[in-house]
Amino acid sequence: MALVVAVNKPATISSLYEPDFHQPSYAVDNVTVCSDGLFLAHSLSDFRPWIKIDLQDIYDINSVVIYNRQDVLGKYIDIFDHLSQSGALLE
């Protein structure tokens, strides 16, 4: 059984697209279905957008699960184009 250590941990994001609806805390609220595009973490069109989640402890991480938005705009976002590993942009 997987332990989700990021739930409700402090999160920050490079910028906010719409502050009323797109807070970084929505990335760690344990809600994985958001079909209307609201109440999700969303940055502006930054050159290299980022999100940082403070796990507040040291963990051995075996996997990371990322959920893309499920509304019509989600199909235009390839989240794997924006992932980084050890701070380096994956090309």
Side-chain angles (χ1 to χ4, degrees), residues 2-11 24-32 53-57 59 61 65 67:
L3 175 64
V4 182
V5 296
V7 173
N8 296 322
K9 296 296 194 300
S25 61
Y26 294 131
V28 293
D29 64 2
N30 211 28
V31 175
T32 60
I53 301 167
D54 182 355
L55 300 180
Q56 300 180 314
D57 207 342
Y59 297 93
I61 304 295
V65 178
Y67 294 91

Side-chain angles (χ1 to χ4, degrees), residues 11-26 40-46 50:
T12 54
I13 196 169
S14 56
S15 62
L16 290 175
Y17 181 72
E18 179 63 49
D20 290 338
F21 303 108
H22 301 125
Q23 291 293 320
S25 61
Y26 294 131
L40 48 84
H42 191 319
S43 67
L44 294 169
S45 296
D46 299 340
W50 54 264

Side-chain angles (χ1 to χ4, degrees), residues 76-88:
Y76 299 111
I77 303 168
D78 184 355
I79 58 174
F80 297 104
D81 282 346
H82 303 288
L83 294 181
S84 66
Q85 182 178 36
S86 301

